[in-house]
Amino acid sequence: MSTSTRPADPAAPSLLAGTVEQPTFGESVNNWVRKVRGGDMGSLPAILALLVLVLGFFALKPEKFLSALNIANLFQQGAVVTTIAMGLVFVLLIGEIDLSAGFTSGACGAVLALALTKLDWPWYLAFGAALVTGVVIGTLLGLSVARIGIPSFIITLAAFLALQGVVLLMIGTGGNISINDSVIIAIQNKNVPPVLGWVLGVLAVAAYAATSLLSWRGRRSRGLLTAPFGLVILKIVVLAVVILGLIGVLNQNRSLNSNVSITGVPIVVPCIAVLALVLGYVLTKTAFGRHIYAVGGNAEATRRAGINVKGVQTACFMICSTMAAFAGVFAASRATSVDPNAGGSNVLLYAVGAAVIGGTSLFGGKGRIIDALIGGAVIAVIDNGMGLLGYSSGIKYVVTGAVLAIAASVDAISRRRARATGRG
Amino acid sequence: MTEPAQANPQGRPPILEVRGGRKNFGAVHALRGVDLVARAGEVTALVGDNGAGKSTMIKCIAGIYGFDAGDVLFEGQPVHISDPSEANDMGIEVVYQDLALCDNLDIVHNMFLGRELKKGIQLDEAAMEARAAEVLASLSVRTVRSIRQHVASLSGGQRQTVAIARAVLWNSKLVILDEPTAALGVAQTEQVLQLVRRLADAGLAVVLVSHNMNDVFEVADSINVLYLGQTAAQVRTKDSSRSEVIELITSGSMSPVGAGSGPALSKTTTDSANGSTPA
């Protein structure tokens, strides 16, 4: 490389040439405040909303809302929406939408139920069949958008209608297939043994601490810009408190019947955690994930950089529908049955809402997996808390709609602000 | 104004030479015989009026179209470039006018877009960041606050700098810049022109497409003038004047009053590949 033979002028060291001035803790906080004020808010509004909601419901229903039983409920209620939302993040990142994700989850749940009952398949084959169904639906959607060029809004609306019919045809009008397989039912109805819960929690925190410390040391030793050490430690401590705190609460007996003991983290929680870790890794650590952001940012530039844009688009739809398939299995497990309305009503809109409330942009190019988790938590808390307070479904929908409207306006306004201050 | 034989002091063939390049789009003869010589360590300006064929010519060189007829020699070897990736593999990089950057990615990510460095399946962020910093430093770029800021927050000149840095990140030998200063203010134009000069000084062959005579005379070593799809002349900057070049651009030939050369279209490629008159 010919240009690298020219050393930087030593008299005027470049900010970029290795003599990086590492920011102090205070400077990092200041930078972050500037970033937020510049319109790059990330999940901050959603986290604030979550805190306000949790504190509000806790103040109104202190004995119930933060009880171990209700916290376990929250996870089980939020699992389906959050799982679909994680998949939707991929589609939203490339600036598209998947309106059919809800009924995709329903169709995959119906496939699972039929495979378990009519075909008498073991749970892993039925689970696999549900996932394959999701992959196939996603491939068809992705090819329609990327190759044929149908707007995603239209083709997924068509799929929304068609899949609704498919679920109805598979299950039969007014029908209901109940699931008896103990493994599938366990996902949403059984818990991780408390000791195992602690072990997994400690391992997760230790793994996070090890990777972030190693990466910090590696970057520091290469003279690259790093976050201050205190901030790295603070993040580890916050994560440890949240994870171990939740495990501690969920490991307490939450049974209302004094003869039976219910303890442990619901099995669906580590399932979602693993899915979130895998998807988060794909998005942030792999070239494929980088290309997803690039397609959302500037598809033409991405194409000129030699990236297969159509392939990336198709893959995102496949990931979204596959996550919907996982959600369909979780929903079937929770209800221990699949009915023709599986994945219908507000499931999809809640999931889109969750992603957007968490900070994923509807305009593409901006979003993270954690957005889906935080947004899913906000929606689950609203639904659960207002239910505890005895509000009707009508009021719940109005409030959820208002929160989504606020989130979408935060997205639009922060985008405008980001334009104005030059932070896309 | 005929170029002396020692114009090619390295004694090596030029990085790129195009002889009699032709390109038709149906009945439209976009290029009707273009010649170009781009040497290592030199800035070769490609000028011409609107519709003269500048963009078509760089797209042919970059492999987006490919010439219909004519010879392309890369480092003295005849080549046929029919695909942009072939051009990239040879070491030809083009910085297009609209830059092709992703606003939502930071400088490092943009520089490595599509050619990320990896450790196994994982991106090697530290290596990419170090390498990007090294390249920017070697180009003496100091105007960028942080290499990890989003491209959206950069000024036009800084964005141009990132696009150029991306082009030289790979072992490029020839960098083609399409109107790099067209949208820039005075100070930023100056910065980018200095960068263009440094690229050439670092040993790359640079082809600068420009409309701006001030820019051309400030940085170019050699000026190639296109007129209605034909090469009117390629002249040494130091041997020619602004009015001569403007005359070539507008009329395709030079009045004999100037440096005393013959009619332009009867082969006035005075800045030829090896300094001697081409066959």
mmCIF file of all heavy atoms in Angstrom, chain A residues 159-199:
data_model
loop_
_atom_site.group_PDB
_atom_site.id
_atom_site.type_symbol
_atom_site.label_atom_id
_atom_site.label_comp_id
_atom_site.label_asym_id
_atom_site.label_seq_id
_atom_site.Cartn_x
_atom_site.Cartn_y
_atom_site.Cartn_z
ATOM 1 N N ALA A 159 -49.886 -11.428 2.386
ATOM 2 C CA ALA A 159 -49.559 -12.610 3.181
ATOM 3 C C ALA A 159 -50.357 -12.629 4.482
ATOM 4 O O ALA A 159 -50.765 -13.684 4.964
ATOM 5 C CB ALA A 159 -48.059 -12.646 3.467
ATOM 6 N N PHE A 160 -50.567 -11.442 5.053
ATOM 7 C CA PHE A 160 -51.367 -11.311 6.278
ATOM 8 C C PHE A 160 -52.748 -11.928 6.063
ATOM 9 O O PHE A 160 -53.221 -12.755 6.841
ATOM 10 C CB PHE A 160 -51.452 -9.826 6.627
ATOM 11 C CG PHE A 160 -52.443 -9.447 7.684
ATOM 12 C CD1 PHE A 160 -52.080 -9.448 9.024
ATOM 13 C CD2 PHE A 160 -53.733 -9.053 7.350
ATOM 14 C CE1 PHE A 160 -52.982 -9.079 10.001
ATOM 15 C CE2 PHE A 160 -54.649 -8.682 8.325
ATOM 16 C CZ PHE A 160 -54.267 -8.701 9.659
ATOM 17 N N LEU A 161 -53.383 -11.537 4.941
ATOM 18 C CA LEU A 161 -54.718 -12.057 4.648
ATOM 19 C C LEU A 161 -54.664 -13.556 4.344
ATOM 20 O O LEU A 161 -55.449 -14.341 4.877
ATOM 21 C CB LEU A 161 -55.315 -11.306 3.452
ATOM 22 C CG LEU A 161 -55.597 -9.825 3.696
ATOM 23 C CD1 LEU A 161 -55.941 -9.115 2.403
ATOM 24 C CD2 LEU A 161 -56.729 -9.673 4.701
ATOM 25 N N ALA A 162 -53.708 -13.931 3.490
ATOM 26 C CA ALA A 162 -53.651 -15.322 3.048
ATOM 27 C C ALA A 162 -53.326 -16.257 4.214
ATOM 28 O O ALA A 162 -53.946 -17.313 4.372
ATOM 29 C CB ALA A 162 -52.612 -15.463 1.942
ATOM 30 N N LEU A 163 -52.366 -15.858 5.047
ATOM 31 C CA LEU A 163 -51.969 -16.741 6.155
ATOM 32 C C LEU A 163 -53.089 -16.871 7.180
ATOM 33 O O LEU A 163 -53.268 -17.925 7.786
ATOM 34 C CB LEU A 163 -50.694 -16.218 6.818
ATOM 35 C CG LEU A 163 -49.425 -16.397 5.982
ATOM 36 C CD1 LEU A 163 -48.264 -15.639 6.613
ATOM 37 C CD2 LEU A 163 -49.080 -17.877 5.873
ATOM 38 N N GLN A 164 -53.852 -15.784 7.348
ATOM 39 C CA GLN A 164 -55.017 -15.855 8.231
ATOM 40 C C GLN A 164 -55.945 -16.973 7.741
ATOM 41 O O GLN A 164 -56.437 -17.792 8.529
ATOM 42 C CB GLN A 164 -55.738 -14.503 8.189
ATOM 43 C CG GLN A 164 -56.816 -14.356 9.223
ATOM 44 C CD GLN A 164 -57.320 -12.922 9.277
ATOM 45 O OE1 GLN A 164 -56.949 -12.081 8.458
ATOM 46 N NE2 GLN A 164 -58.163 -12.650 10.247
ATOM 47 N N GLY A 165 -56.119 -17.016 6.404
ATOM 48 C CA GLY A 165 -56.942 -18.075 5.821
ATOM 49 C C GLY A 165 -56.303 -19.436 5.994
ATOM 50 O O GLY A 165 -56.984 -20.425 6.292
ATOM 51 N N VAL A 166 -54.988 -19.511 5.829
ATOM 52 C CA VAL A 166 -54.292 -20.794 5.963
ATOM 53 C C VAL A 166 -54.482 -21.360 7.363
ATOM 54 O O VAL A 166 -54.765 -22.553 7.547
ATOM 55 C CB VAL A 166 -52.795 -20.619 5.624
ATOM 56 C CG1 VAL A 166 -52.007 -21.853 6.033
ATOM 57 C CG2 VAL A 166 -52.612 -20.345 4.139
ATOM 58 N N VAL A 167 -54.338 -20.490 8.380
ATOM 59 C CA VAL A 167 -54.518 -20.952 9.761
ATOM 60 C C VAL A 167 -55.938 -21.483 9.943
ATOM 61 O O VAL A 167 -56.157 -22.559 10.521
ATOM 62 C CB VAL A 167 -54.236 -19.804 10.759
ATOM 63 C CG1 VAL A 167 -54.504 -20.260 12.184
ATOM 64 C CG2 VAL A 167 -52.818 -19.312 10.618
ATOM 65 N N LEU A 168 -56.900 -20.738 9.388
ATOM 66 C CA LEU A 168 -58.304 -21.140 9.502
ATOM 67 C C LEU A 168 -58.533 -22.494 8.822
ATOM 68 O O LEU A 168 -59.195 -23.379 9.369
ATOM 69 C CB LEU A 168 -59.175 -20.053 8.844
ATOM 70 C CG LEU A 168 -60.629 -19.965 9.258
ATOM 71 C CD1 LEU A 168 -60.739 -19.792 10.755
ATOM 72 C CD2 LEU A 168 -61.275 -18.774 8.561
ATOM 73 N N LEU A 169 -57.938 -22.667 7.632
ATOM 74 C CA LEU A 169 -58.104 -23.923 6.905
ATOM 75 C C LEU A 169 -57.460 -25.082 7.659
ATOM 76 O O LEU A 169 -57.989 -26.187 7.693
ATOM 77 C CB LEU A 169 -57.487 -23.806 5.509
ATOM 78 C CG LEU A 169 -58.214 -22.882 4.527
ATOM 79 C CD1 LEU A 169 -57.430 -22.744 3.242
ATOM 80 C CD2 LEU A 169 -59.622 -23.398 4.258
ATOM 81 N N MET A 170 -56.296 -24.824 8.257
ATOM 82 C CA MET A 170 -55.582 -25.915 8.934
ATOM 83 C C MET A 170 -56.323 -26.354 10.185
ATOM 84 O O MET A 170 -56.329 -27.526 10.535
ATOM 85 C CB MET A 170 -54.161 -25.464 9.299
ATOM 86 C CG MET A 170 -53.210 -25.509 8.111
ATOM 87 S SD MET A 170 -51.484 -25.544 8.617
ATOM 88 C CE MET A 170 -51.241 -23.915 9.198
ATOM 89 N N ILE A 171 -56.891 -25.398 10.886
ATOM 90 C CA ILE A 171 -57.480 -25.729 12.182
ATOM 91 C C ILE A 171 -58.988 -25.941 12.067
ATOM 92 O O ILE A 171 -59.564 -26.721 12.810
ATOM 93 C CB ILE A 171 -57.142 -24.630 13.202
ATOM 94 C CG1 ILE A 171 -55.635 -24.654 13.429
ATOM 95 C CG2 ILE A 171 -57.860 -24.861 14.514
ATOM 96 C CD1 ILE A 171 -55.131 -23.563 14.270
ATOM 97 N N GLY A 172 -59.616 -25.268 11.122
ATOM 98 C CA GLY A 172 -61.059 -25.418 10.969
ATOM 99 C C GLY A 172 -61.787 -24.348 11.756
ATOM 100 O O GLY A 172 -61.368 -23.986 12.861
ATOM 101 N N THR A 173 -62.861 -23.838 11.181
ATOM 102 C CA THR A 173 -63.607 -22.761 11.834
ATOM 103 C C THR A 173 -64.088 -23.215 13.209
ATOM 104 O O THR A 173 -64.631 -24.312 13.356
ATOM 105 C CB THR A 173 -64.812 -22.370 10.971
ATOM 106 O OG1 THR A 173 -64.369 -22.228 9.623
ATOM 107 C CG2 THR A 173 -65.432 -21.080 11.449
ATOM 108 N N GLY A 174 -63.824 -22.379 14.179
ATOM 109 C CA GLY A 174 -64.260 -22.701 15.534
ATOM 110 C C GLY A 174 -63.484 -23.829 16.169
ATOM 111 O O GLY A 174 -63.758 -24.231 17.293
ATOM 112 N N GLY A 175 -62.501 -24.347 15.425
ATOM 113 C CA GLY A 175 -61.724 -25.462 15.951
ATOM 114 C C GLY A 175 -60.678 -25.020 16.953
ATOM 115 O O GLY A 175 -60.478 -23.836 17.192
ATOM 116 N N ASN A 176 -60.022 -25.977 17.519
ATOM 117 C CA ASN A 176 -59.001 -25.690 18.518
ATOM 118 C C ASN A 176 -58.200 -26.969 18.715
ATOM 119 O O ASN A 176 -58.762 -28.011 19.055
ATOM 120 C CB ASN A 176 -59.701 -25.262 19.814
ATOM 121 C CG ASN A 176 -58.699 -24.873 20.887
ATOM 122 O OD1 ASN A 176 -57.538 -25.269 20.824
ATOM 123 N ND2 ASN A 176 -59.152 -24.110 21.852
ATOM 124 N N ILE A 177 -56.915 -26.914 18.432
ATOM 125 C CA ILE A 177 -56.085 -28.105 18.612
ATOM 126 C C ILE A 177 -55.326 -27.956 19.926
ATOM 127 O O ILE A 177 -54.537 -27.025 20.092
ATOM 128 C CB ILE A 177 -55.087 -28.260 17.457
ATOM 129 C CG1 ILE A 177 -55.830 -28.271 16.120
ATOM 130 C CG2 ILE A 177 -54.270 -29.528 17.634
ATOM 131 C CD1 ILE A 177 -54.917 -28.277 14.929
ATOM 132 N N SER A 178 -55.569 -28.843 20.866
ATOM 133 C CA SER A 178 -54.833 -28.709 22.119
ATOM 134 C C SER A 178 -53.539 -29.512 22.046
ATOM 135 O O SER A 178 -53.435 -30.517 21.334
ATOM 136 C CB SER A 178 -55.691 -29.144 23.298
ATOM 137 O OG SER A 178 -56.117 -30.453 23.085
ATOM 138 N N ILE A 179 -52.558 -29.013 22.746
ATOM 139 C CA ILE A 179 -51.218 -29.584 22.705
ATOM 140 C C ILE A 179 -50.949 -30.302 24.021
ATOM 141 O O ILE A 179 -51.185 -29.752 25.101
ATOM 142 C CB ILE A 179 -50.183 -28.472 22.468
ATOM 143 C CG1 ILE A 179 -50.358 -27.904 21.064
ATOM 144 C CG2 ILE A 179 -48.771 -28.983 22.668
ATOM 145 C CD1 ILE A 179 -49.519 -26.702 20.789
ATOM 146 N N ASN A 180 -50.484 -31.528 23.914
ATOM 147 C CA ASN A 180 -50.232 -32.300 25.129
ATOM 148 C C ASN A 180 -48.755 -32.582 25.350
ATOM 149 O O ASN A 180 -48.379 -33.115 26.377
ATOM 150 C CB ASN A 180 -50.983 -33.631 25.057
ATOM 151 C CG ASN A 180 -52.476 -33.403 24.907
ATOM 152 O OD1 ASN A 180 -53.047 -32.579 25.614
ATOM 153 N ND2 ASN A 180 -53.097 -34.107 23.974
ATOM 154 N N ASP A 181 -47.942 -32.244 24.353
ATOM 155 C CA ASP A 181 -46.527 -32.572 24.463
ATOM 156 C C ASP A 181 -45.905 -31.829 25.633
ATOM 157 O O ASP A 181 -45.976 -30.597 25.739
ATOM 158 C CB ASP A 181 -45.814 -32.193 23.169
ATOM 159 C CG ASP A 181 -44.370 -32.639 23.193
ATOM 160 O OD1 ASP A 181 -44.114 -33.785 22.795
ATOM 161 O OD2 ASP A 181 -43.514 -31.843 23.625
ATOM 162 N N SER A 182 -45.265 -32.585 26.548
ATOM 163 C CA SER A 182 -44.783 -31.967 27.789
ATOM 164 C C SER A 182 -43.642 -30.993 27.534
ATOM 165 O O SER A 182 -43.520 -29.978 28.217
ATOM 166 C CB SER A 182 -44.344 -33.058 28.765
ATOM 167 O OG SER A 182 -43.298 -33.802 28.185
ATOM 168 N N VAL A 183 -42.794 -31.287 26.533
ATOM 169 C CA VAL A 183 -41.646 -30.396 26.298
ATOM 170 C C VAL A 183 -42.122 -29.038 25.778
ATOM 171 O O VAL A 183 -41.692 -27.988 26.266
ATOM 172 C CB VAL A 183 -40.661 -31.035 25.294
ATOM 173 C CG1 VAL A 183 -39.507 -30.098 25.012
ATOM 174 C CG2 VAL A 183 -40.166 -32.354 25.841
ATOM 175 N N ILE A 184 -43.040 -29.056 24.784
ATOM 176 C CA ILE A 184 -43.531 -27.794 24.229
ATOM 177 C C ILE A 184 -44.257 -26.996 25.309
ATOM 178 O O ILE A 184 -44.059 -25.785 25.447
ATOM 179 C CB ILE A 184 -44.473 -28.078 23.027
ATOM 180 C CG1 ILE A 184 -43.706 -28.738 21.882
ATOM 181 C CG2 ILE A 184 -45.130 -26.796 22.553
ATOM 182 C CD1 ILE A 184 -42.644 -27.885 21.248
ATOM 183 N N ILE A 185 -45.071 -27.679 26.112
ATOM 184 C CA ILE A 185 -45.811 -26.976 27.166
ATOM 185 C C ILE A 185 -44.861 -26.390 28.201
ATOM 186 O O ILE A 185 -45.073 -25.293 28.720
ATOM 187 C CB ILE A 185 -46.830 -27.933 27.824
ATOM 188 C CG1 ILE A 185 -47.961 -28.193 26.832
ATOM 189 C CG2 ILE A 185 -47.388 -27.359 29.115
ATOM 190 C CD1 ILE A 185 -48.974 -29.190 27.306
ATOM 191 N N ALA A 186 -43.761 -27.089 28.460
ATOM 192 C CA ALA A 186 -42.832 -26.652 29.503
ATOM 193 C C ALA A 186 -42.237 -25.281 29.191
ATOM 194 O O ALA A 186 -41.951 -24.499 30.105
ATOM 195 C CB ALA A 186 -41.717 -27.683 29.655
ATOM 196 N N ILE A 187 -42.055 -24.957 27.886
ATOM 197 C CA ILE A 187 -41.367 -23.710 27.512
ATOM 198 C C ILE A 187 -41.975 -22.515 28.235
ATOM 199 O O ILE A 187 -41.275 -21.675 28.788
ATOM 200 C CB ILE A 187 -41.442 -23.482 25.980
ATOM 201 C CG1 ILE A 187 -40.713 -24.600 25.239
ATOM 202 C CG2 ILE A 187 -40.824 -22.141 25.617
ATOM 203 C CD1 ILE A 187 -40.886 -24.537 23.735
ATOM 204 N N GLN A 188 -43.314 -22.438 28.243
ATOM 205 C CA GLN A 188 -43.966 -21.270 28.833
ATOM 206 C C GLN A 188 -44.591 -21.584 30.193
ATOM 207 O O GLN A 188 -45.118 -20.686 30.837
ATOM 208 C CB GLN A 188 -45.062 -20.756 27.882
ATOM 209 C CG GLN A 188 -44.549 -19.880 26.758
ATOM 210 C CD GLN A 188 -44.555 -18.400 27.115
ATOM 211 O OE1 GLN A 188 -44.170 -18.021 28.220
ATOM 212 N NE2 GLN A 188 -44.981 -17.565 26.203
ATOM 213 N N ASN A 189 -44.578 -22.840 30.624
ATOM 214 C CA ASN A 189 -45.288 -23.170 31.860
ATOM 215 C C ASN A 189 -44.421 -23.795 32.929
ATOM 216 O O ASN A 189 -44.884 -24.046 34.034
ATOM 217 C CB ASN A 189 -46.471 -24.097 31.548
ATOM 218 C CG ASN A 189 -47.503 -23.407 30.675
ATOM 219 O OD1 ASN A 189 -48.220 -22.537 31.133
ATOM 220 N ND2 ASN A 189 -47.538 -23.773 29.411
ATOM 221 N N LYS A 190 -43.170 -24.083 32.611
ATOM 222 C CA LYS A 190 -42.280 -24.646 33.615
ATOM 223 C C LYS A 190 -41.110 -23.695 33.824
ATOM 224 O O LYS A 190 -40.899 -22.766 33.049
ATOM 225 C CB LYS A 190 -41.762 -26.020 33.148
ATOM 226 C CG LYS A 190 -42.836 -27.109 33.177
ATOM 227 C CD LYS A 190 -43.034 -27.597 34.597
ATOM 228 C CE LYS A 190 -43.907 -28.837 34.696
ATOM 229 N NZ LYS A 190 -45.226 -28.725 34.060
ATOM 230 N N ASN A 191 -40.345 -23.958 34.879
ATOM 231 C CA ASN A 191 -39.282 -23.036 35.234
ATOM 232 C C ASN A 191 -37.934 -23.729 35.264
ATOM 233 O O ASN A 191 -37.849 -24.950 35.437
ATOM 234 C CB ASN A 191 -39.567 -22.422 36.599
ATOM 235 C CG ASN A 191 -40.914 -21.726 36.606
ATOM 236 O OD1 ASN A 191 -41.135 -20.793 35.845
ATOM 237 N ND2 ASN A 191 -41.834 -22.223 37.420
ATOM 238 N N VAL A 192 -36.909 -22.922 35.111
ATOM 239 C CA VAL A 192 -35.550 -23.426 35.253
ATOM 240 C C VAL A 192 -35.322 -23.684 36.743
ATOM 241 O O VAL A 192 -35.691 -22.845 37.566
ATOM 242 C CB VAL A 192 -34.543 -22.368 34.750
ATOM 243 C CG1 VAL A 192 -33.123 -22.844 34.933
ATOM 244 C CG2 VAL A 192 -34.832 -22.021 33.304
ATOM 245 N N PRO A 193 -34.747 -24.848 37.138
ATOM 246 C CA PRO A 193 -34.465 -25.072 38.558
ATOM 247 C C PRO A 193 -33.647 -23.914 39.128
ATOM 248 O O PRO A 193 -32.737 -23.426 38.446
ATOM 249 C CB PRO A 193 -33.657 -26.365 38.559
ATOM 250 C CG PRO A 193 -33.981 -27.033 37.264
ATOM 251 C CD PRO A 193 -34.332 -25.964 36.301
ATOM 252 N N PRO A 194 -33.982 -23.448 40.334
ATOM 253 C CA PRO A 194 -33.329 -22.242 40.874
ATOM 254 C C PRO A 194 -31.803 -22.302 40.826
ATOM 255 O O PRO A 194 -31.167 -21.316 40.443
ATOM 256 C CB PRO A 194 -33.836 -22.198 42.310
ATOM 257 C CG PRO A 194 -35.158 -22.873 42.253
ATOM 258 C CD PRO A 194 -35.051 -23.939 41.200
ATOM 259 N N VAL A 195 -31.219 -23.450 41.185
ATOM 260 C CA VAL A 195 -29.748 -23.522 41.213
ATOM 261 C C VAL A 195 -29.195 -23.297 39.807
ATOM 262 O O VAL A 195 -28.272 -22.503 39.591
ATOM 263 C CB VAL A 195 -29.285 -24.890 41.760
ATOM 264 C CG1 VAL A 195 -27.768 -24.972 41.715
ATOM 265 C CG2 VAL A 195 -29.806 -25.087 43.167
ATOM 266 N N LEU A 196 -29.813 -23.979 38.827
ATOM 267 C CA LEU A 196 -29.376 -23.823 37.439
ATOM 268 C C LEU A 196 -29.544 -22.367 36.996
ATOM 269 O O LEU A 196 -28.702 -21.812 36.283
ATOM 270 C CB LEU A 196 -30.185 -24.757 36.532
ATOM 271 C CG LEU A 196 -29.751 -24.794 35.061
ATOM 272 C CD1 LEU A 196 -28.309 -25.241 34.932
ATOM 273 C CD2 LEU A 196 -30.680 -25.687 34.258
ATOM 274 N N GLY A 197 -30.651 -21.757 37.453
ATOM 275 C CA GLY A 197 -30.879 -20.349 37.138
ATOM 276 C C GLY A 197 -29.726 -19.489 37.599
ATOM 277 O O GLY A 197 -29.199 -18.658 36.859
ATOM 278 N N TRP A 198 -29.311 -19.684 38.866
ATOM 279 C CA TRP A 198 -28.173 -18.912 39.393
ATOM 280 C C TRP A 198 -26.925 -19.160 38.564
ATOM 281 O O TRP A 198 -26.211 -18.232 38.191
ATOM 282 C CB TRP A 198 -27.888 -19.295 40.848
ATOM 283 C CG TRP A 198 -28.841 -18.684 41.832
ATOM 284 C CD1 TRP A 198 -29.675 -19.335 42.687
ATOM 285 C CD2 TRP A 198 -29.049 -17.279 42.074
ATOM 286 N NE1 TRP A 198 -30.398 -18.454 43.435
ATOM 287 C CE2 TRP A 198 -30.031 -17.177 43.076
ATOM 288 C CE3 TRP A 198 -28.508 -16.124 41.528
ATOM 289 C CZ2 TRP A 198 -30.478 -15.946 43.558
ATOM 290 C CZ3 TRP A 198 -28.952 -14.903 41.989
ATOM 291 C CH2 TRP A 198 -29.931 -14.819 42.995
ATOM 292 N N VAL A 199 -26.664 -20.462 38.255
ATOM 293 C CA VAL A 199 -25.448 -20.790 37.513
ATOM 294 C C VAL A 199 -25.454 -20.074 36.155
ATOM 295 O O VAL A 199 -24.477 -19.426 35.765
ATOM 296 C CB VAL A 199 -25.331 -22.323 37.326
ATOM 297 C CG1 VAL A 199 -24.191 -22.663 36.375
ATOM 298 C CG2 VAL A 199 -25.124 -23.000 38.674
#
